[in-house]
Amino acid sequence: MGADANMNTLTTKPQNSTTPGCESTNISLLGKFDMNEIMNCMQCGFCLPACPTYRQTGKEVASPRGRIALMKGVAQESLEVDNEFEANMYLCLGCRACETACPAGVPYGSLVETAREVVETRKKEEKKAPFIRDIIFNKVFPHPERIEKLGTALWAAQSAGLQTMAQKTGLINILPRPMAEMQQAVDKVASPAERKKRQKVMKPEGQKATLKVGMFKGCIMDVMFYETNQATARVLTKAGCEVVFVDDQACCGALHAHAGEKDGAVDLAKRNIEAFEKAGVDFIVNNAGGCGAALKEYHHWFHDEPEWKERAMKFVSKVRDANELLAELPELTFKKELNVRVTYQDSCHLAHGQGIRNQPRQLIRSIPGVEYIEMINADSCCGSAGIYNITNFDMSMRILDDKMKDVRQTKAHIIVTSNPGCLLQMKQGIIRAGMKDQMEAVHIMDLLDRAL
């Protein structure tokens, strides 16, 4: 830590600002900022063209370089932790494209998470944290059974035709615009009966398993994309793996970490570490780029807990994205020719967070009958970014509409993704672009499963 980090309190100072909610407050948070990481930013500007929000606005404060300068100002007590600081930190998608572009290797993703943690702690100390936030991060996501009940409620509404009726009558418009538009891209979720049929252990047919892998189900993933999880397990068994749906696992914690709720993220990480330790698997496999990036960074969440950090490092050593593991195993034997033109949209946290780029493309190209078309700017963010397309809807849609221009140029029949949020966003993009009759968005594991 730098010299500035030796102070133990941060005092925001009143300024001549018209921004509401800027009252002076004392926050013991300075130790959360890593001044070494902040000072590693050379302010070179290589990150600017890589940043979606900078490209949309042209504003320095909407760039990684600008946000790091704001963090430095807060850490050195020359700027307040005010509403303007909060807005600039949350305008960021967290796509981490800047990390790929940065010649100094600045870990921007962890910096912006820290900045948001500072913001949220300040709001809690001032008792300004929204009630809905407590519901989402404390009452829903830490409880898989509650998420499953919400999924059942959604299935019931779809089965009763309420979703269709709401669309036809215009009642859907009583929802906030982000929710009203997003629901168009939501496919029918699996029924409770279908979910109960899941085999806890799936073994390869006609051969001895070469690996025992634990399937990380995710939270929303296992409700809204249950069949994609099943497809992933089937594909892995075709590659010779025994797949175990491990009990007692929870949300990965990524949404908590990205939203400044670090304590909640750490609690979820501990639950997952314990669950997979008991399972005794060779690898921990996931099919969501965002979840995978979080799982692989668990050891960075335990700086003050050496015992948990050691356990987290063992956990992280076993984590693999499904694309990553399949690329290391013998080639799949496909039974069908798909005869389609396919393009690929990188998941930001898979490409920039985990460095996994070639493996998904190799898998797609290995499918008989596929004509693969590389998209321009395939690794630029689609605007999904967790719940960003709800919390920052207008910016998200601007980024998505630009992305769809690149998608359209490929003239593909299928756009493939490796992350559930990206998949929903691309489905919405297809609808917005009026291309429903020309193209579909498909998770890569579902595409592989079709051909197998």
Side-chain angles (χ1 to χ4, degrees), residues 311-330:
R311 292 171 70 178
M313 289 176 71
K314 291 178 181 177
F315 176 93
V316 168
S317 70
K318 293 184 176 183
V319 175
R320 297 288 188 279
D321 179 80
N323 293 285
E324 183 181 19
L325 183 61
L326 286 168
E328 298 171 4
L329 297 173

Side-chain angles (χ1 to χ4, degrees), residues 51-83:
C51 177
T53 52
Y54 179 79
R55 290 201 304 269
Q56 290 293 332
T57 66
K59 294 180 179 179
E60 181 71 18
V61 290
S63 73
R65 180 175 70 177
R67 293 188 187 101
I68 289 174
L70 293 175
M71 294 176 208
K72 180 180 177 182
V74 165
Q76 295 180 333
E77 300 189 81
S78 60
L79 292 177
E80 286 190 343
V81 185
D82 58 13
N83 288 8

Side-chain angles (χ1 to χ4, degrees), residues 340-341 343 412-416 423 426-427 430 435-443 447 450:
V340 287
R341 186 181 299 115
T343 193
H413 304 121
I414 297 175
I415 179 166
V416 174
L423 181 58
M426 298 316 302
K427 286 176 180 287
I430 290 170
M435 298 167 62
K436 282 186 69 175
D437 295 334
Q438 307 164 39
M439 177 182 290
E440 64 173 324
V442 178
H443 192 286
L447 186 72
R450 285 184 192 181

Side-chain angles (χ1 to χ4, degrees), residues 36 50 53 73 90 135 172 177 195 213 250 346 393 414 431:
N36 287 331
T53 52
Y90 277 103
I135 296 292
I172 200 73
R177 188 182 170 202
R195 295 201 297 268
V213 302
D346 286 282
F393 178 75
I414 297 175
I431 293 169

Side-chain angles (χ1 to χ4, degrees), residues 197-214:
K197 291 179 183 177
R198 169 180 279 163
Q199 295 176 299
K200 183 179 175 181
V201 179
M202 296 174 63
K203 297 185 178 182
E205 294 181 12
Q207 59 176 310
K208 186 178 180 181
T210 56
L211 291 173
K212 180 181 179 182
V213 302

